Amino acid sequence: MPNEKTLILVKPDGVQRGLIGDVIGRLEKTGLKIIGIKFIQISEELAGKHYAEHKDKPFFSGLVKFITSSPVVALVLEGNNAISITRKTMGATNPVDSPPGTIRGDFAIDLGRNIIHGSANDDDAKREVDLFFDKNELCQYSKSNDAWVTE
Ligand code: IDP
Ligand code: MG
């Protein structure tokens, strides 16, 4: 879809392992535009809303404990096909299935410590962007290389 937005989190393991720059650098180099960014400690309430689709899964409580265990970097990226482009750059949910060259393939070995979150589809992206960012925290702006990124 043209000019999509997607919500990215550098999860607590990415922050603790000093991978913020690597993760954001890879996403930035795709050509997608950062329109929002912040460093936050996720509350249990926000974690429950963010991961609501998993609330009945056996790993839910561990997932909430993990995502609230240390600060995260939250970003909104914008651009054509932002959701599928970032999901491809991230790799598969389980690092075992993520090829080299992907963020999870290169930096992770465990399903429960897979470094990055990225919205999975358009409905999730809209919901998640609204959960983490107020409208006035998102910047619409042009970059001088826009025409070299998107035809
Ligand atoms: P995604 O992050 O690739 O969208 P989801 O299925 O939405 O994957 O799961 C959310 C997160 O929950 C995953 O990134 C992973 O960290 C964790 N997770 C998913 N399935 C399992 C599991 O079976 N055991 C432990 N953690 C899991
Ligand atoms: Mg998901």
Side-chain angles (χ1 to χ4, degrees), residues 11 51 53-54 57 59 63 66 87 90-93 104 111-114 116-118 120:
K11 292 179 176 181
Y51 281 129
E53 67 171 306
H54 299 304
K57 309 257 174 70
F59 60 85
L63 182 58
F66 165 63
R87 294 287 297 194
M90 286 159 56
T93 304
R104 287 164 168 173
L111 175 58
R113 299 287 184 273
N114 63 2
I116 180 170
H117 167 84

Side-chain angles (χ1 to χ4, degrees), residues 83-105:
I83 296 166
S84 51
I85 296 284
T86 52
R87 294 287 297 194
K88 178 197 65 169
T89 305
M90 286 159 56
T93 304
N94 193 335
V96 169
D97 303 319
S98 300
T102 64
I103 292 168
R104 287 164 168 173

Side-chain angles (χ1 to χ4, degrees), residues 48-69:
K49 287 181 183 164
H50 175 63
Y51 281 129
E53 67 171 306
H54 299 304
K55 69 176 188 323
D56 297 325
K57 309 257 174 70
F59 60 85
F60 179 74
S61 64
L63 182 58
V64 169
K65 197 169 173 203
F66 165 63
I67 204 74
T68 58
S69 64

